Amino acid sequence: MTIKLYVDFGGYSAIEKGNLIIPRDNILNKKDFDSVEIGDVVDVYSKRGKFLGRGFKNPREVRIMTLRKEELDENYIKEKIIKANEYRLKLGFKDTYRMVYTQSDWLNGLVIDKYNDIATVQIFNYGIEKMKDVVVETLQNLGIDSIYEKSSGRNRKRAGLPEVEGILAGEKTETIIQEGNAKFKVTFDGQKTGFFLDQRENRLELERFIKEGDRVLDVCCYTGGFSVHAAIRGAEVVGVDLSKKALKLAEENMELNNIPKDKYEFIEGNAFKVMEEFIEDGKNFDVVILDPPAFAQSKKSLKSAMRGYHMLNRLGAKLADRLLVTCSCSQPVEPDAFKALVIDACLKAKKWAKIIKYGSQSPDHPITSKGTEYLKCLFLSVEEI
Ligand SMILES: C[S@@+](CC[C@H](N)C(=O)[O-])C[C@H]1O[C@@H](n2cnc3c(N)ncnc32)[C@H](O)[C@@H]1O
Protein backbone atom coordinates (compact mmCIF):
# COMPACT_ATOMS: atom_id res chain seq x y z
CA MET A 1 0.00 0.00 0.00
CA THR A 2 1.22 3.47 -0.85
CA ILE A 3 2.18 5.45 2.25
CA LYS A 4 0.11 8.60 2.86
CA LEU A 5 2.02 11.70 3.93
CA TYR A 6 0.14 14.70 5.29
CA VAL A 7 1.37 18.25 4.84
CA ASP A 8 0.44 21.52 6.46
CA PHE A 9 1.25 24.48 4.30
CA GLY A 10 -1.36 26.70 5.92
CA GLY A 11 -3.65 28.78 3.73
CA TYR A 12 -3.20 27.84 0.08
CA SER A 13 -1.72 24.46 -0.65
CA ALA A 14 1.80 24.83 -1.96
CA ILE A 15 1.06 22.08 -4.47
CA GLU A 16 -1.90 24.00 -5.86
CA LYS A 17 0.42 26.98 -6.23
CA GLY A 18 2.69 24.67 -8.15
CA ASN A 19 5.53 23.93 -5.80
CA LEU A 20 6.12 20.26 -6.50
CA ILE A 21 9.07 19.73 -4.17
CA ILE A 22 7.92 19.04 -0.60
CA PRO A 23 10.65 19.29 2.05
CA ARG A 24 10.52 16.84 4.98
CA ASP A 25 9.94 19.87 7.26
CA ASN A 26 6.46 20.34 5.75
CA ILE A 27 5.39 16.76 6.43
CA LEU A 28 3.28 16.23 9.56
CA ASN A 29 3.76 12.46 9.95
CA LYS A 30 7.56 12.51 9.76
CA LYS A 31 7.85 8.99 11.21
CA ASP A 32 5.96 7.63 8.22
CA PHE A 33 8.19 9.67 5.89
CA ASP A 34 11.29 8.24 7.58
CA SER A 35 9.93 4.69 7.35
CA VAL A 36 9.69 4.78 3.53
CA GLU A 37 12.65 3.58 1.43
CA ILE A 38 14.18 6.32 -0.70
CA GLY A 39 12.94 6.10 -4.24
CA ASP A 40 9.58 4.56 -3.22
CA VAL A 41 6.22 6.01 -4.24
CA VAL A 42 4.31 8.13 -1.68
CA ASP A 43 0.98 9.97 -1.79
CA VAL A 44 0.74 13.48 -0.42
CA TYR A 45 -2.46 14.68 1.27
CA SER A 46 -3.51 17.93 2.87
CA LYS A 47 -4.06 17.98 6.63
CA ARG A 48 -7.80 17.62 5.98
CA GLY A 49 -7.30 14.50 3.89
CA LYS A 50 -7.47 15.89 0.33
CA PHE A 51 -5.26 14.02 -2.17
CA LEU A 52 -2.67 16.47 -3.54
CA GLY A 53 -0.22 14.45 -5.55
CA ARG A 54 1.93 11.36 -5.97
CA GLY A 55 5.70 11.29 -6.05
CA PHE A 56 8.95 9.70 -4.97
CA LYS A 57 10.53 9.86 -1.56
CA ASN A 58 14.02 11.34 -1.53
CA PRO A 59 16.33 11.65 1.49
CA ARG A 60 15.19 15.19 2.36
CA GLU A 61 12.06 15.77 0.29
CA VAL A 62 9.22 14.35 -1.76
CA ARG A 63 9.33 15.09 -5.49
CA ILE A 64 5.74 15.18 -6.76
CA MET A 65 5.51 13.57 -10.22
CA THR A 66 1.79 13.69 -10.91
CA LEU A 67 -1.44 15.14 -9.53
CA ARG A 68 -3.26 11.91 -10.48
CA LYS A 69 -3.35 8.52 -8.81
CA GLU A 70 -1.48 6.81 -11.64
CA GLU A 71 1.32 4.24 -11.74
CA LEU A 72 4.80 5.76 -11.52
CA ASP A 73 6.46 2.95 -13.43
CA GLU A 74 8.79 2.54 -16.41
CA ASN A 75 5.97 3.29 -18.85
CA TYR A 76 5.27 6.58 -17.10
CA ILE A 77 8.90 7.70 -17.49
CA LYS A 78 9.08 6.59 -21.12
CA GLU A 79 5.79 8.24 -22.14
CA LYS A 80 6.61 11.52 -20.42
CA ILE A 81 10.04 11.73 -22.13
CA ILE A 82 8.47 11.05 -25.54
CA LYS A 83 5.75 13.66 -24.89
CA ALA A 84 8.28 16.25 -23.76
CA ASN A 85 10.32 15.66 -26.92
CA GLU A 86 7.24 15.96 -29.15
CA TYR A 87 6.39 19.28 -27.50
CA ARG A 88 9.81 20.73 -28.47
CA LEU A 89 9.54 19.40 -32.03
CA LYS A 90 6.12 21.07 -32.38
CA LEU A 91 7.71 24.33 -31.24
CA GLY A 92 10.18 24.02 -34.10
CA PHE A 93 13.30 22.89 -32.24
CA LYS A 94 15.37 20.58 -34.42
CA ASP A 95 18.75 19.24 -33.33
CA THR A 96 19.71 20.96 -30.12
CA TYR A 97 17.36 21.76 -27.26
CA ARG A 98 16.41 21.00 -23.69
CA MET A 99 14.34 17.86 -24.15
CA VAL A 100 13.09 17.48 -20.59
CA TYR A 101 12.80 20.26 -18.04
CA THR A 102 11.98 18.68 -14.70
CA GLN A 103 8.51 19.36 -13.22
CA SER A 104 7.37 21.34 -16.29
CA ASP A 105 7.32 17.99 -18.11
CA TRP A 106 5.97 15.96 -15.15
CA LEU A 107 9.43 14.46 -14.64
CA ASN A 108 10.35 16.25 -11.44
CA GLY A 109 14.09 16.02 -10.97
CA LEU A 110 15.05 14.99 -14.51
CA VAL A 111 16.76 17.33 -16.97
CA ILE A 112 17.81 16.18 -20.43
CA ASP A 113 19.61 18.31 -23.00
CA LYS A 114 20.00 17.15 -26.59
CA TYR A 115 22.94 18.29 -28.71
CA ASN A 116 22.55 16.66 -32.12
CA ASP A 117 22.86 12.95 -31.31
CA ILE A 118 24.36 13.42 -27.85
CA ALA A 119 22.30 13.88 -24.68
CA THR A 120 23.24 14.98 -21.20
CA VAL A 121 21.16 13.74 -18.31
CA GLN A 122 20.83 15.22 -14.83
CA ILE A 123 18.86 13.34 -12.19
CA PHE A 124 17.83 14.87 -8.85
CA ASN A 125 15.22 12.31 -7.89
CA TYR A 126 16.07 8.86 -6.60
CA GLY A 127 12.79 7.42 -7.91
CA ILE A 128 13.86 8.32 -11.44
CA GLU A 129 17.45 7.29 -10.78
CA LYS A 130 16.20 3.76 -10.07
CA MET A 131 14.79 3.74 -13.62
CA LYS A 132 17.88 5.21 -15.30
CA ASP A 133 17.96 2.28 -17.74
CA VAL A 134 14.54 3.29 -19.07
CA VAL A 135 15.76 6.87 -19.55
CA VAL A 136 18.76 5.57 -21.54
CA GLU A 137 16.67 3.16 -23.61
CA THR A 138 14.04 5.82 -24.41
CA LEU A 139 16.72 8.26 -25.53
CA GLN A 140 18.34 5.63 -27.73
CA ASN A 141 14.96 4.91 -29.32
CA LEU A 142 14.71 8.62 -30.06
CA GLY A 143 17.94 8.44 -32.07
CA ILE A 144 20.44 9.49 -29.39
CA ASP A 145 23.85 7.87 -29.81
CA SER A 146 25.84 8.99 -26.77
CA ILE A 147 24.52 9.81 -23.30
CA TYR A 148 26.50 11.62 -20.66
CA GLU A 149 25.28 11.79 -17.06
CA LYS A 150 25.99 14.90 -15.04
CA SER A 151 24.06 14.44 -11.81
CA SER A 152 26.06 16.84 -9.70
CA GLY A 153 25.95 20.28 -8.16
CA ARG A 154 23.57 22.12 -5.87
CA ASN A 155 20.33 20.25 -6.68
CA ARG A 156 21.94 16.88 -6.12
CA LYS A 157 23.41 17.96 -2.76
CA ARG A 158 20.12 19.50 -1.71
CA ALA A 159 18.32 16.23 -2.42
CA GLY A 160 20.90 14.42 -0.29
CA LEU A 161 22.07 12.25 -3.18
CA PRO A 162 25.69 11.42 -4.09
CA GLU A 163 27.17 13.06 -7.21
CA VAL A 164 27.34 10.86 -10.33
CA GLU A 165 29.13 11.76 -13.54
CA GLY A 166 30.13 9.73 -16.58
CA ILE A 167 29.17 8.14 -19.87
CA LEU A 168 25.95 6.08 -19.85
CA ALA A 169 26.00 5.10 -23.53
CA GLY A 170 28.10 5.64 -26.66
CA GLU A 171 31.47 7.37 -26.83
CA LYS A 172 31.03 10.90 -28.14
CA THR A 173 31.82 13.69 -25.72
CA GLU A 174 31.74 16.68 -28.06
CA THR A 175 29.80 18.01 -31.01
CA ILE A 176 29.23 21.18 -33.04
CA ILE A 177 25.81 22.77 -32.72
CA GLN A 178 24.13 25.41 -34.87
CA GLU A 179 22.35 28.38 -33.25
CA GLY A 180 20.93 30.70 -35.87
CA ASN A 181 23.94 31.73 -37.97
CA ALA A 182 26.44 30.71 -35.32
CA LYS A 183 28.24 27.45 -34.69
CA PHE A 184 29.47 26.33 -31.28
CA LYS A 185 31.64 23.47 -30.18
CA VAL A 186 30.09 21.86 -27.11
CA THR A 187 31.96 19.52 -24.80
CA PHE A 188 30.50 17.61 -21.90
CA ASP A 189 33.21 17.80 -19.31
CA GLY A 190 32.82 21.51 -18.56
CA GLN A 191 30.37 23.26 -16.30
CA LYS A 192 26.59 22.87 -16.34
CA THR A 193 25.44 20.71 -19.25
CA GLY A 194 27.89 21.81 -21.88
CA PHE A 195 26.14 24.92 -23.15
CA PHE A 196 23.71 27.44 -21.69
CA LEU A 197 20.75 26.52 -23.91
CA ASP A 198 18.44 28.73 -21.83
CA GLN A 199 19.95 31.90 -23.36
CA ARG A 200 19.30 30.86 -26.97
CA GLU A 201 16.55 33.39 -27.75
CA ASN A 202 18.42 36.24 -26.06
CA ARG A 203 21.63 35.47 -27.94
CA LEU A 204 19.72 35.42 -31.24
CA GLU A 205 17.97 38.66 -30.28
CA LEU A 206 21.31 40.35 -29.61
CA GLU A 207 22.19 40.17 -33.32
CA ARG A 208 19.30 42.58 -34.08
CA PHE A 209 20.95 45.30 -32.01
CA ILE A 210 24.56 44.98 -33.21
CA LYS A 211 25.99 47.26 -35.89
CA GLU A 212 29.13 46.70 -37.95
CA GLY A 213 32.14 48.02 -36.02
CA ASP A 214 30.44 48.06 -32.59
CA ARG A 215 32.74 47.55 -29.62
CA VAL A 216 31.15 44.89 -27.42
CA LEU A 217 32.08 43.80 -23.90
CA ASP A 218 30.78 40.31 -22.99
CA VAL A 219 31.10 39.89 -19.21
CA CYS A 220 31.01 36.30 -17.91
CA CYS A 221 31.22 35.13 -21.52
CA TYR A 222 31.73 31.38 -20.85
CA THR A 223 32.42 29.72 -24.25
CA GLY A 224 31.54 32.89 -26.15
CA GLY A 225 27.77 32.51 -26.60
CA PHE A 226 26.92 36.22 -26.93
CA SER A 227 30.43 37.08 -28.21
CA VAL A 228 30.13 34.91 -31.32
CA HIS A 229 26.69 36.29 -32.23
CA ALA A 230 28.02 39.85 -31.85
CA ALA A 231 31.16 39.09 -33.90
CA ILE A 232 29.11 37.51 -36.69
CA ARG A 233 27.37 40.89 -37.07
CA GLY A 234 30.74 42.62 -37.44
CA ALA A 235 31.43 43.72 -33.85
CA GLU A 236 34.81 43.82 -32.13
CA VAL A 237 34.47 41.79 -28.96
CA VAL A 238 36.16 41.68 -25.58
CA GLY A 239 35.06 38.71 -23.45
CA VAL A 240 35.79 38.25 -19.74
CA ASP A 241 35.48 35.07 -17.69
CA LEU A 242 37.08 33.39 -14.70
CA SER A 243 37.32 30.03 -16.45
CA LYS A 244 40.42 29.41 -18.55
CA LYS A 245 38.85 26.25 -19.98
CA ALA A 246 35.71 28.13 -21.10
CA LEU A 247 37.81 30.88 -22.71
CA LYS A 248 39.83 28.35 -24.67
CA LEU A 249 36.60 27.06 -26.14
CA ALA A 250 35.42 30.64 -26.74
CA GLU A 251 38.49 31.19 -28.93
CA GLU A 252 37.83 27.93 -30.78
CA ASN A 253 34.25 29.08 -31.33
CA MET A 254 35.43 32.35 -32.86
CA GLU A 255 37.69 30.38 -35.23
CA LEU A 256 34.85 28.00 -36.05
CA ASN A 257 32.82 31.01 -37.21
CA ASN A 258 35.71 32.47 -39.25
CA ILE A 259 36.04 35.58 -37.09
CA PRO A 260 39.44 37.25 -37.75
CA LYS A 261 41.81 37.08 -34.77
CA ASP A 262 42.11 40.88 -34.51
CA LYS A 263 38.34 41.19 -33.92
CA TYR A 264 38.29 39.59 -30.48
CA GLU A 265 40.15 39.32 -27.19
CA PHE A 266 39.35 37.09 -24.22
CA ILE A 267 40.50 38.09 -20.76
CA GLU A 268 40.76 35.61 -17.90
CA GLY A 269 39.80 37.48 -14.75
CA ASN A 270 37.25 38.57 -12.21
CA ALA A 271 34.43 40.51 -13.87
CA PHE A 272 34.25 43.16 -11.14
CA LYS A 273 37.99 43.79 -11.14
CA VAL A 274 38.34 43.88 -14.91
CA MET A 275 35.43 46.31 -15.29
CA GLU A 276 36.82 48.59 -12.56
CA GLU A 277 40.17 48.67 -14.36
CA PHE A 278 38.45 49.50 -17.66
CA ILE A 279 36.65 52.40 -15.97
CA GLU A 280 39.91 53.68 -14.44
CA ASP A 281 41.53 53.49 -17.88
CA GLY A 282 38.65 55.52 -19.37
CA LYS A 283 37.50 52.68 -21.66
CA ASN A 284 33.95 52.39 -22.95
CA PHE A 285 31.93 50.10 -25.22
CA ASP A 286 28.91 50.50 -27.49
CA VAL A 287 27.35 47.38 -26.01
CA VAL A 288 27.90 45.70 -22.64
CA ILE A 289 26.53 42.21 -21.87
CA LEU A 290 26.35 40.92 -18.29
CA ASP A 291 25.50 37.25 -17.81
CA PRO A 292 26.87 36.24 -14.40
CA PRO A 293 26.22 32.92 -12.62
CA ALA A 294 23.32 32.73 -10.13
CA PHE A 295 24.33 34.98 -7.23
CA ALA A 296 21.26 33.86 -5.20
CA GLN A 297 20.97 30.09 -4.85
CA SER A 298 18.18 30.43 -2.27
CA LYS A 299 16.08 33.11 -0.58
CA LYS A 300 18.65 33.21 2.24
CA SER A 301 21.31 34.66 -0.05
CA LEU A 302 18.94 37.07 -1.81
CA LYS A 303 20.10 40.25 -0.06
CA SER A 304 23.79 39.79 -0.74
CA ALA A 305 22.98 38.64 -4.27
CA MET A 306 21.04 41.85 -4.94
CA ARG A 307 24.07 43.86 -3.77
CA GLY A 308 26.26 41.86 -6.18
CA TYR A 309 23.88 42.44 -9.10
CA HIS A 310 23.68 46.14 -8.28
CA MET A 311 27.45 46.54 -8.25
CA LEU A 312 27.90 44.53 -11.47
CA ASN A 313 25.19 46.52 -13.26
CA ARG A 314 26.54 49.87 -12.05
CA LEU A 315 29.94 48.99 -13.49
CA GLY A 316 28.38 47.68 -16.71
CA ALA A 317 26.21 50.79 -17.12
CA LYS A 318 29.26 53.05 -16.67
CA LEU A 319 31.04 51.24 -19.49
CA ALA A 320 28.03 51.10 -21.84
CA ASP A 321 27.49 53.89 -24.36
CA ARG A 322 24.40 52.61 -26.17
CA LEU A 323 23.11 49.21 -25.06
CA LEU A 324 23.21 47.23 -21.84
CA VAL A 325 22.13 43.58 -21.95
CA THR A 326 21.88 42.28 -18.41
CA CYS A 327 20.81 38.90 -17.07
CA SER A 328 20.07 37.13 -13.82
CA CYS A 329 19.60 33.37 -13.62
CA SER A 330 18.84 33.44 -9.88
CA GLN A 331 15.41 31.88 -9.39
CA PRO A 332 14.66 33.79 -6.14
CA VAL A 333 15.20 37.17 -7.86
CA GLU A 334 11.76 38.36 -9.05
CA PRO A 335 11.59 39.93 -12.55
CA ASP A 336 10.18 43.25 -11.27
CA ALA A 337 12.80 43.48 -8.53
CA PHE A 338 15.53 42.86 -11.11
CA LYS A 339 14.17 45.57 -13.45
CA ALA A 340 14.04 48.08 -10.59
CA LEU A 341 17.56 47.15 -9.49
CA VAL A 342 19.00 47.56 -12.98
CA ILE A 343 17.32 50.93 -13.55
CA ASP A 344 18.63 52.13 -10.19
CA ALA A 345 22.16 50.86 -10.92
CA CYS A 346 22.05 52.77 -14.23
CA LEU A 347 20.97 55.95 -12.45
CA LYS A 348 23.85 55.55 -9.99
CA ALA A 349 26.14 55.23 -13.02
CA LYS A 350 24.60 58.47 -14.36
CA LYS A 351 22.88 56.65 -17.22
CA TRP A 352 19.25 57.06 -18.27
CA ALA A 353 18.05 53.55 -19.16
CA LYS A 354 15.05 52.52 -21.22
CA ILE A 355 13.95 48.89 -21.28
CA ILE A 356 13.72 47.86 -24.94
CA LYS A 357 13.03 44.22 -24.38
CA TYR A 358 12.51 41.81 -21.55
CA GLY A 359 13.50 38.19 -22.25
CA SER A 360 13.39 35.04 -20.19
CA GLN A 361 14.53 31.47 -20.73
CA SER A 362 14.12 29.77 -24.10
CA PRO A 363 10.73 27.95 -24.52
CA ASP A 364 12.36 24.52 -24.36
CA HIS A 365 12.62 25.38 -20.62
CA PRO A 366 8.83 25.84 -20.18
CA ILE A 367 7.69 28.07 -17.36
CA THR A 368 4.89 26.26 -15.54
CA SER A 369 4.80 25.85 -11.80
CA LYS A 370 6.53 27.79 -9.06
CA GLY A 371 10.28 27.60 -9.27
CA THR A 372 10.47 26.90 -13.01
CA GLU A 373 10.98 30.55 -14.07
CA TYR A 374 14.48 31.71 -13.33
CA LEU A 375 16.09 33.59 -16.21
CA LYS A 376 15.69 37.33 -16.70
CA CYS A 377 17.39 39.14 -19.57
CA LEU A 378 16.90 42.87 -20.06
CA PHE A 379 17.92 44.83 -23.14
CA LEU A 380 18.29 48.50 -22.22
CA SER A 381 19.06 51.53 -24.28
CA VAL A 382 21.36 53.76 -22.20
CA GLU A 383 22.41 57.39 -22.52
CA GLU A 384 24.44 59.83 -20.45
CA ILE A 385 22.30 61.84 -17.98
C1 LIG B 1 25.75 31.93 -17.00
S1 LIG B 1 27.38 31.64 -17.53
C2 LIG B 1 27.48 32.65 -18.94
C3 LIG B 1 26.92 31.99 -20.20
C4 LIG B 1 27.24 32.69 -21.49
N1 LIG B 1 26.76 34.05 -21.52
C5 LIG B 1 26.70 31.92 -22.68
O1 LIG B 1 25.81 32.45 -23.39
O2 LIG B 1 27.16 30.81 -22.93
C6 LIG B 1 28.30 32.47 -16.30
C7 LIG B 1 29.81 32.50 -16.48
O3 LIG B 1 30.34 33.38 -15.49
C8 LIG B 1 31.65 32.95 -15.15
N2 LIG B 1 31.98 33.61 -13.88
C9 LIG B 1 31.56 33.31 -12.64
N3 LIG B 1 32.00 34.22 -11.75
C10 LIG B 1 32.74 35.12 -12.44
C11 LIG B 1 33.47 36.29 -12.09
N4 LIG B 1 33.52 36.72 -10.84
N5 LIG B 1 34.13 36.94 -13.05
C12 LIG B 1 34.11 36.52 -14.34
N6 LIG B 1 33.42 35.41 -14.72
C13 LIG B 1 32.75 34.73 -13.80
C14 LIG B 1 31.55 31.46 -15.14
O4 LIG B 1 32.83 30.89 -15.35
C15 LIG B 1 30.58 31.21 -16.31
O5 LIG B 1 31.30 30.94 -17.48
Side-chain angles (χ1 to χ4, degrees):
M1 228 200 47
T2 312
I3 290 280
K4 292 182 178 180
L5 299 174
Y6 294 88
V7 290
D8 182 9
F9 299 110
Y12 282 109
S13 144
I15 291 180
E16 278 158 1
K17 280 202 286 182
N19 186 359
L20 304 183
I21 304 173
I22 314 294
R24 182 181 178 275
D25 278 356
N26 287 109
I27 291 164
L28 294 170
N29 48 335
K30 290 191 176 49
K31 270 195 182 156
D32 287 335
F33 174 87
D34 293 338
S35 73
V36 184
E37 288 281 314
I38 62 163
D40 278 3
V41 175
V42 291
D43 281 341
V44 176
Y45 285 78
S46 73
K47 192 163 62 173
R48 293 203 178 86
K50 183 181 166 210
F51 172 76
L52 297 174
R54 175 168 281 185
F56 290 118
K57 178 197 160 154
N58 277 273
R60 297 188 193 136
E61 62 201 16
V62 172
R63 290 236 172 200
I64 300 288
M65 299 286 287
T66 173
L67 305 186
R68 299 180 189 154
K69 283 191 177 171
E70 61 189 315
E71 287 292 315
L72 293 181
D73 55 10
E74 298 191 345
N75 259 338
Y76 177 94
I77 303 288
K78 193 171 122 187
E79 280 169 16
K80 289 288 184 267
I81 294 175
I82 292 170
K83 197 169 166 204
N85 189 50
E86 281 169 357
Y87 177 74
R88 273 71 176 174
L89 296 178
K90 270 190 216 148
L91 283 181
F93 286 94
K94 283 196 177 76
D95 302 313
T96 296
Y97 50 89
R98 175 152 292 187
M99 189 193 270
V100 170
Y101 180 49
T102 184
Q103 62 222 59
S104 293
D105 293 300
W106 297 111
L107 287 162
N108 197 349
L110 177 67
V111 173
I112 301 175
D113 287 337
K114 177 183 180 305
Y115 303 88
N116 301 319
D117 61 350
I118 304 182
T120 61
V121 173
Q122 300 174 72
I123 305 175
F124 310 115
N125 182 344
Y126 199 74
I128 298 178
E129 178 147 307
K130 286 201 322 192
M131 292 186 267
K132 208 190 285 184
D133 288 353
V134 183
V135 175
V136 170
E137 194 189 306
T138 310
L139 288 174
Q140 285 173 327
N141 288 338
L142 288 170
I144 299 290
D145 173 278
S146 297
I147 305 170
Y148 193 84
E149 179 170 14
K150 207 168 164 61
S151 300
S152 52
R154 184 171 54 95
N155 282 331
R156 191 81 182 173
K157 280 196 198 115
R158 172 202 148 142
L161 297 168
E163 302 200 295
V164 186
E165 233 184 282
I167 293 175
L168 293 176
E171 289 172 346
K172 295 183 197 164
T173 56
E174 61 179 62
T175 186
I176 289 172
I177 61 161
Q178 187 82 38
E179 186 177 80
N181 297 318
K183 285 187 177 66
F184 293 98
K185 179 172 164 188
V186 183
T187 63
F188 304 102
D189 51 358
Q191 68 200 104
K192 216 191 168 197
T193 49
F195 196 66
F196 290 87
L197 296 175
D198 51 359
Q199 285 283 24
R200 180 191 154 87
E201 307 297 312
N202 302 319
R203 282 189 295 256
L204 292 171
E205 188 71 16
L206 176 75
E207 286 196 27
R208 257 184 66 195
F209 296 98
I210 302 290
K211 293 189 210 138
E212 177 87 36
D214 270 351
R215 287 157 305 124
V216 173
L217 175 64
D218 185 6
V219 175
C220 297
C221 63
Y222 188 52
T223 58
F226 285 101
S227 299
V228 168
H229 282 285
I232 278 178
R233 297 279 296 142
E236 290 179 18
V237 182
V238 176
V240 181
D241 204 283
L242 272 182
S243 163
K244 198 181 192 143
K245 204 163 148 190
L247 292 180
K248 197 175 159 284
L249 213 43
E251 285 193 5
E252 279 187 53
N253 283 330
M254 285 293 191
E255 282 165 26
L256 195 62
N257 289 279
N258 303 315
I259 308 297
K261 271 206 172 347
D262 60 347
K263 296 287 179 203
Y264 60 88
E265 181 192 358
F266 288 109
I267 300 170
E268 183 190 340
N270 184 310
F272 293 92
K273 208 165 158 269
V274 174
M275 285 200 288
E276 270 162 11
E277 282 168 9
F278 281 171
I279 292 167
E280 271 170 32
D281 296 347
K283 282 197 180 151
N284 54 356
F285 296 85
D286 298 296
V287 178
V288 174
I289 301 150
L290 307 171
D291 186 17
F295 289 164
Q297 303 281 6
S298 68
K299 281 207 168 121
K300 268 190 227 153
S301 51
L302 190 55
K303 247 189 172 173
S304 67
M306 292 306 260
R307 279 198 297 273
Y309 284 122
H310 198 281
M311 196 186 292
L312 191 80
N313 278 278
R314 191 161 45 78
L315 296 171
K318 273 193 187 164
L319 289 166
D321 279 350
R322 190 179 85 234
L323 183 75
L324 177 66
V325 179
T326 176
C327 314
S328 161
C329 56
S330 298
Q331 190 273 325
V333 174
E334 299 283 347
D336 282 348
F338 187 62
K339 284 180 200 166
L341 176 145
V342 172
I343 299 273
D344 186 66
C346 288
L347 285 172
K348 297 269 170 9
K350 304 230 174 332
K351 291 280 163 71
W352 186 239
K354 298 172 187 153
I355 298 178
I356 307 172
K357 200 189 139 53
Y358 171 71
S360 184
Q361 62 226 45
S362 171
D364 50 348
H365 299 55
I367 297 168
T368 55
S369 51
K370 196 166 180 273
T372 56
E373 179 177 12
Y374 64 94
L375 186 62
K376 299 147 283 281
C377 178
L378 293 175
F379 287 68
L380 303 117
S381 152
V382 289
E383 61 191 40
E384 211 66 63
I385 293 179

